[in-house]
Every structure is written in C-alpha cells, then in structure tokens.
Amino acid sequence: MSLRWLPLLLLATGCALDRSALEEPLVLESPLVAGGRLLWLDAPRTRLLTLDAAAGALTCSSTLDRPRGLQARDDDVWLLGETEGRPALHRRDLATGARSTLQLSHRFDTVVLGPGREQATLLATPAGVTSHGGLPILDPSRVAVVDSDTVTHVPIEAGGLATGAIYAPDGATVAVLLQRGVLLIDAATPSRHRLAHLDLADGTSLHPKEARFTPDGTHLLLLAEGTGDLLVIRIFASGDDFGAAINLLSAPVGPVERMLVLDDEHVAVVAGKTVSVLHLGGDTTKTRSRVLAARPLQLATQEDGILLFAGVNTERDGVGVAAWDPMEDLLDQAMLDGALVDARSVGGRIFVLHRGAEGYGLSSMVAEATGVDLRLRLRTYPLSGWPTALAQGRDDGSVLLGVHGGGADIYDGPVAAGTLVALEPGRDSIASVVLDDAIVEVGVVGESLFALHPSRLGDLTLVPAGDVRRSHTKRWEGIFAAELGACE
Amino acid sequence: MSKQPLLVLGFILSLWACGEDGAHAYEPPPTLGDCQGDADCPSGLRCEASVCVAEDGRPPEQPPANASHLPPVSSPGWLWTLSPETARVTAIDPETLALRSFSVAADPVALAAFPNEDRVLVLSRHGASLTTIDLEGAPRLVRHPLHRRFSSLTLSPDGAWAVLWNPDGAPLDAGLEGLIQVVDLIGGPVVHERMVGRRPTEVFFRSADGVATDAVIVSKDEVAILELSTLSTEPLPARIPLDDGHREPTTRRVVASPDGTLLLLGSITSPTLLSVDVEARRLDRVTLSGPTSDLAFLQEREVVVAILRSEGRVAWFDVRDARIDPGQIFEEEVAFTYEGCATPPCLASPGQVRFAGPRHAILFSNASPTTAFATLNFDTRALEVVDALRKPIRDLVSGPDGAHAIVFHQATPSSRADPYERWVDESEGYSIVDLASGRTQLRLTGMATPHRVVFARGDRHAGVILRDPAASFFGVDAVDLHSMVPFSLGLPSLPEDGGPVTREGRIWISQRHPLGRISFVDLVARSMETVTGYDFNARIE
C-alpha cells in the first residue's frame, strides 16, 4: 500500500504527532542532488530531509526558521533562513556533519553558488518578494557576495530587481541579472562592480532572460527581451581597473532566439531556421550561417566542433534534425517521423523524444565527419509507453528515461506502471527496470539512479547505476511523512 | 463674428510659429536643380534644357556630397562619435575597442578634436553650450554655457580659439544675421560676440608660427577679419566687400592657403580671382583667361591651381607673384580627346582638380559624362591623359602617396546590343588607378554605389565603402593598391563615413544604427570588428 494516505491515517488513529506539522500541506518538490544524497527542503516544517543513496538511510534535520534558497554542491549545503528573527546563512557539510551559521544584515531568498567552494551570491528575487507573504520583507536593493565568512553587500542602485545570477567559470566575476540591467561584480573584490543599464533612448528597456559566460570568463552573453540582437559584454579586469563594454551582435537573418557558447571567441545562435556562428569580437567576416529545413529548438556541440540541431518542421509534420560543421560548411539533415515531444542536449548529443503513428520513440543523434563529408547518425528506440521524464545519465552522452505503462520494446517483461530506462548509445548499452509506479522524474545520485513517483509524500525508487535490475531496486515511500513528529 | 480677433490670433500664432530662431521665415538658398528660366538659376548662370549652366553650356561641377550626419573625428588615441539623438559623445579606442561615453547638452551639432590631444569640443545647439571632453588623463568634462544657439563650430589649428556660427542655410539665433561667437579656449573660456555680415559660408584662421592670429569669416557679400589678440578691445571686425561676381555662394569657390594668410575666391561666372591678404586686410584681383570652375592651393605651398573649364585650360601661380606680375601666371591647355564616348570626337575639358603629391594635379570633370582624366606635372608641364576608364567619372579621390587614385563611376542607361557591355554601362562601379603607369582596373558593383574611399596608413590599402539601401546591401572593398585586387566584406548596416586609424592597413567605418555602430576593418587581414550600442556603454556605472 502506498503511504500517501498516511497523514490522514495518523490523524484518524490519534497517533502522537505534532498537529502543527500537518497544518501546512506536504508538497513534494524535486530533490536536490548533493554528492551521493538527495535533499528535500520541507520549509513549512523547517526541516531538511536527506536520503543517502549509498547507505540507504533517510535522515531528517531541523533548519533555520523560514528556510529558503536551498543549494548544494557535492556535500556542501547552503541555506538561507532566520535565527531569532534575524536573517542568516546556514552551511552544512553532509560528509563531516560540520555546520555553521552566518548572521546577515539583510534578507534574501536565493543562493547562487560560485565555482569556488566558498563562493556564493545572495539575491532577493521578484519571486521571493511576492511569494513570501509571511516573511519579513526581503531586501531587493542589494546583493550579498559571500566568500567564506566574508559578506560584501553590493547596492543595486538602478535596473530593477535581481532575477538571477551567474558566475564566470573561473569564479572571477559574478553577473547579477536585473530586470533592466546587469550588475557585474569582481568576485574577489566585490567593492569593484559595474552596473550596465539596458535602457533605450526611446524609454523602453531590454530585459535579460538568459546569460552565459565564455569559458575564459571574459565575455558575458545575454539574450534579452526587447532586442533581436545578442548582447555581448566584454569584461576588463586588470590591476585597479574593472570595466565592461557592451556590444550587440546580430544574426544574419532575424532575431536571435537561442544561443550556445562554443568557445572563448564564438557563439552559435538560432534565428528562425537560420543557424549561425558569430565571432564575439564582432568580426562579421567570420560569421558562418546555414538555413535548415526545420526551426531548431535544441542545439548541442560535439567535441569536434560539429553542431547538432533538432527542431520542428514548420511546413510538414516531422522532427527536423541536422548536423553542421561550420568550419567546413558541411551539412547533413534528416527528418524523424511524428511530432516533437521533447529534445535534450546531453553532453555532445541530442536526444529527441517524438511521437509518430506507431507510438513514441527516442532518437539519439550524433555526427561523424569523414574529412570530405558529414554524416548524421540517428538511432531510434521505439517506446511502448509515453515518456514521462528525461534526464542526463551518469555519463556524458547517456540519458535516463521514465516511461509510463510498461517501458520500451526493449524490455521484455509484463506491462507495469513505470519503467526506468538507462541508455548509452555510444556504448550501445540499454538497461531498464520496471517499477511499480509511474515516474515523474529521473536522475543520478552517486552511484545510483533514482525515479521519483507521483506522490505528494515522496515515493522514490533507487537502483544501482551499474546493475539496473528489479531485484536491486530499493523503494522509499512517504519520505515527507518520515519523522514528522521529531527531527534532530 | 468679427474677423479682427481671428486676425490678431493669427498674427500671434504666426509669431509663435516663427520660433526663437526665426527658422520659419528662412528660405533656403537657390539650388542647381531643374529650372524653367534664367530667373530660376543663381546669378551668372542661365537655364538651358531645364538645367542651370555656365558660360560653356555645362552645369557647375558637382562637389562631393555633404554628409547628412556628423562624421566621427580622430584624436591620437581615440575615435570620437557624436549621437545627436541621444546627446552623447562616445570615444572608442580603435585598438582595444574600449568605449567611454559622455552626456552633452541637447542637440549636439558639431564635434572638433584639439590638435594632437585626446580632447574634443562639442557644440550643442538647443543646449546652447560648448562642452570640452578631455581624455588626456582621468576623464574630464567641462560645460560652458553660451546663451546663444549656433549650428557650426570651427576650431583654430592651434586649438586656442573656436568660432561658433550659423552657416548659410542654418537657422539664425534670435533672427540675428551674421552673429558669431569667438571663444578664447585658453583664457577662460571667454566669449566674444561679433557681427560679421549676412549668410556666412566659410570660416578660416590665419596662423603665424603655429599660433592663430586672425579669424576670417566669409559671408555672401564680404569677408570679415577679426584680430584675435585685440578682441577684448576692438568691437568691430575689418570688413572687405566682395565684387558682385563673387557674391553667389553656389557658383563660387573659396579656398585658403595652408596658413590662412591668403584667401582666394573664384567663380564659374567670372574670370577674375579675388585674393584677400588677411594679414594686410587687402583685396586684390587676378584676371585669368576664363571663369574658374575649381580652385585649390597646392599642398604646403602658396601656389594656387585654377581650372578654367570653359577655356579648356588650367592656370597655376604663386598668388603673391601674380598680384604684382600677371606674367607669373602659368596657363596650360588641358582639354583632350579620348575614346569611347557616344558621339565622337570625345573632348574632355576638366572642371575639377585633385592633387597627387606635391607636383601633380589630377584634372577631371563630372559635369558631363567623361571617361578620361589628365595628370599635370607642374615642374615639367607634362600633361598625361588617362583614358583607359570604361565608365563616366562621378568623383575621383587620390591617395596620400600620390601614386594611386580611386575613380567613382556613374551608372548610365544603355542600349548596347551586347548584354555584358550593357550590364557594364548600367552597373555602378569604381576603378583603381595606378597614376604612374596609367593602368586602371574596373570593379563593377551592381546596384551598390561606391560611397566613400578611405586610404589606410601605409599607402598600400584602401577601403571602398559600398551601399545599396534599396537591397539592404552594405559592404566595403579592401583594395590592395599594388595588385589592384579588391576583396569584398559585408557590413552589418548602412555605412555613413570612414577614416584611417593609426595602425597601418586599418580603417573605421561608421554606420547608421539606432544604438550607434562602427566597424574597424583590417584591410590587410580582410577581417572586421564591429561595435554596436554606444548608449549601453554610456550607461555602465
């Protein structure tokens, strides 16, 4: 029996349970993967649930009051909250159990971790400002840059609220996206910062919606509402000088819809059916473009620089897939039958879920350059049910799939509620296991794969990634109901 | 209802509509467009076949078109652009493409760079102010109120003085004809207001030993000379009235010697040259054998070259000698025949002059469809005809080395049977010319018009800017002048102007873009970097 009725059952039986614990609804959120553990923040009950995949142990620990902004990297967990009514930042090392709490002078709701273990930036986002009705007012007029125990506040003097932040890969710069601007902060010396307003002369503004750094961290690329150009912000940081210059790059045809940073000097962009590689220095002589048969919705790059695209064919049914070598200007295109359901870029591949007359299929695409030619290699796996979850697998180029209703044709077992499929086309490896419940989310935690089932209390199945068999699965039911009455 | 109140209201509204500049009442000067009769033409020209023509039956020569925008200016380390719409000046480092942007007062209309300094002066018309932006050290911006509205700024060669004025055709300030301000930029700035005659057309400075001594304002009817050292005590300028034949701005040419000591005025309607000795405040007359269609001082010398188109001759002389002794005026026959016109014999009579180095003049005409030009060596008096061009000349630009020129051609209707030759006729294009050998190379550009040519430092490469707004095609040809091979590069938007930067083989091309755009083109590597969005850079704090 599922434990989804457990709270009512407990109430009915008068079990010794803290009644207040059930006044707030139990809402299962996607778990956060931290090293070999899955984490859930149960904010109403101020507790953190930790499932250690290797040890098979579920633990509960209390958090700060009004916890929010949970983030984790490896074993390091960051959390915002309140202690004695004052804002605080809590950190916990899940491996050693070490904990620390840093008092803050202002309230934030979002933690963005940097690449350095001690780096983070704290923000008050519009979502946090509007959703925390009972919370003391967040402070949207500044961000906090945290480095170890040092907190530096950087004022947001214009540009609207912070909507997100992104660190350069080397951690040298953090870019805080604002509603109408970008705040660039020297992460090592946060007092050095630059605010780039994105207001136009006609009184309108640009609104950043997606940002990416180049690998060397010298350029920040922005897609923004209000312009069809790609904004490229060059960051100068030398000696005492910390500056920035904005340039706008245009696609040869139409507004830029998607981008993919290729290297320190180039970005691939999609504008309608046209795909282009642009030089970040604005050297238009280095622009390469091709018009594809389908409008790409997903793009990826292989290690050899070949670009892969998957998208919708607007003229007839079908999923357009393409491989393009911009250096040699070689192109290969193909059409998959059916309608596009989803497409994911995983490592250097694109996986396409599509639905045709004969049901669902998962296609893996990769391109091979022969020196004089380019070949798009497609492999399609028919699915006997409809896909409910898709995620990157344990390795680049592998994918996990949750399938409703019995799994893929490759599984030879009885019809079941959900099947977890692990696919590694590069090694021609397919593994699957039928589970007792439908699957809403799949993922990798440590050496295990997990499948999350559709229960508000948190039902989950773990299976060793290297040995995907039903006999090796371990199911957890009612994770959120665990230790409702007591928590360390 | 009585009409009287309406009349009063109409009068009041008409006063209001005239505006503070009185621009409403201004009528633009006569242009050389279509005419119905002689009265439609400027004084001295007559109407023939609906065209205003000179004595020789040809229209006046067409000078290069004035820019409809404010071109960027260069200083040693920066390229400066002015955006009137946003009232900002942006300085761009041509090497690093770093930008610095500055806000200036409303309606900036003129930009000038101080000599050998990373410092510029900006004139704002509606903002009625002058702004100095200094990037020599830490960025510094100083604004000086003027309390007057001017449209043009002329900076003295030593950077010590500026004349603010409203050129003929620009709105006046408070309806005041001939009002100028002379700004002492060293001692203040201190502003001196003077009246200098109606409808000014040119402003020059005279310099002695590199120091500006006089400001010279040429207006429709007179030349006004202001001694800069006595401005605080002398309220009136020296005034030299012009002869009737030299009062029409559209038919005269005004040139100044390199140091501004001599001013010459020639006219397509008069064989007399007016010579103004600025230092002596004296007007002299030099009579040539025909009217002057073009006039220029030879570089670095006080030798002037006058084109006498109707006579098919060119005259050259040292002005000081010629004033005393007409025998010191040298004239040479320069009319020549060439092959390829529709109705032979083809006679070319040059109407314009360009210089190719210190000893050679290039003589050509665009008043009639001529496919040849000539070079004249002043020392040997040798005239060489270059008649290898295959299309009529629209303009000609000589390179700074004096060895090469770029000729812009005119697209012409064609009825030739050979489709290729018909296409050649109907296509826009330009020719690369090796002046020493007379060798030419035609480049056809289809519907794209050659707009500007920029010679890069190093004397080997030039950029020819092309544009076809109807087809949204914009580009630049990187021309290797030695091999005569062009290489086409696309530009992202409509090019407006161009110029060289310090690095050899590299040029800039400004383009029309709501946020500001400029491309830096490496003509050697055939690569291009483009900067877009000055306004955003202005607002990085």
Side-chain angles (χ1 to χ4, degrees), chain B residues 160-171:
Chain B
W161 299 86
V163 171
L164 314 180
W165 56 296
N166 286 313
D168 189 24

Side-chain angles (χ1 to χ4, degrees), chain A residues 157 193-201 206 229 231 234 236 244-250 281-285, chain B residues 85-86 96-99 489-492 513 515 517 526-533 535-537 539-541:
Chain A
E157 292 170 342
H193 49 83
R194 289 282 181 270
L195 174 60
H197 300 256
L198 298 180
D199 300 321
L200 301 171
L206 306 187
D229 288 342
L231 278 77
R234 192 150 57 112
F236 309 100
I246 301 180
N247 198 3
L248 276 75
L249 299 184
S250 302
D283 187 344
T284 47
T285 62
Chain B
E85 295 82 10
T86 58
T96 66
L97 305 190
L99 293 100
L489 302 165
L491 288 169
H513 191 281
L515 299 173
R517 172 174 284 166
R526 296 171 172 176
S527 64
M528 182 188 307
E529 293 174 285
T530 299
V531 178
T532 307
D535 282 4
F536 289 141
N537 289 279
R539 306 207 58 201
I540 296 176
E541 298 170 349

Side-chain angles (χ1 to χ4, degrees), chain B residues 53-66:
Chain B
V53 297
E55 185 183 295
D56 60 358
R58 295 157 64 191
E61 298 289 322
Q62 296 303 303
N66 286 328

Side-chain angles (χ1 to χ4, degrees), chain A residues 287-439:
Chain A
T287 298
R288 304 282 181 271
S289 282
R290 272 293 191 136
V291 179
L292 305 183
R295 183 176 191 156
L297 298 177
Q298 193 63 253
L299 61 165
T301 178
Q302 298 185 164
E303 283 186 355
D304 55 8
I306 295 171
L307 291 163
L308 301 174
F309 304 93
V312 177
N313 191 315
T314 54
E315 285 152 16
R316 63 185 181 89
D317 284 345
V319 180
V321 292
W324 177 41
D325 182 343
M327 296 307 295
E328 302 295 332
D329 199 20
L330 298 172
L331 179 72
D332 191 19
Q333 300 189 81
M335 196 64 66
L336 298 169
D337 290 335
L340 181 69
V341 175
D342 198 358
R344 296 285 174 88
S345 165
V346 178
R349 288 174 182 267
I350 290 180
F351 290 90
V352 180
L353 277 171
H354 46 103
R355 184 182 61 194
E358 297 180 359
Y360 290 89
L362 174 69
S363 293
S364 157
M365 51 188 289
V366 67
E368 293 174 7
T370 63
V372 293
D373 202 0
L374 183 68
R375 285 275 180 264
L376 186 61
R377 304 289 183 202
L378 289 168
R379 181 158 183 190
T380 299
Y381 304 90
L383 304 174
S384 57
W386 66 87
T388 56
L390 182 66
Q392 179 174 345
R394 195 163 56 150
D395 305 310
D396 274 358
S398 69
V399 69
L400 300 177
L401 196 62
V403 178
H404 188 75
D409 283 354
I410 49 179
Y411 175 69
D412 196 21
V415 173
T419 301
L420 174 64
V421 180
L423 187 64
E424 293 182 62
R427 292 196 291 178
D428 207 18
S429 163
I430 303 165
S432 67
V433 59
V434 177
L435 305 177
D436 293 339
D437 226 340
I439 298 171

Side-chain angles (χ1 to χ4, degrees), chain A residues 10 12 48 67 79 127 137 157 160 163 178 224 263 281 288 290 296 306 352 357 393 422 425 449 459 466 472 484:
Chain A
L10 290 171
L48 185 67
L79 186 69
I137 296 170
E157 292 170 342
T163 57
L178 308 176
D263 54 39
R288 304 282 181 271
R290 272 293 191 136
I306 295 171
V352 180
L449 309 180
D459 293 352
H472 286 64
L484 275 174

Side-chain angles (χ1 to χ4, degrees), chain B residues 12 33 72 74 87 159 226 268 280 290 442 510 533:
Chain B
I12 293 170
S74 288
L226 296 153
I268 190 74
L442 175 64
S510 59

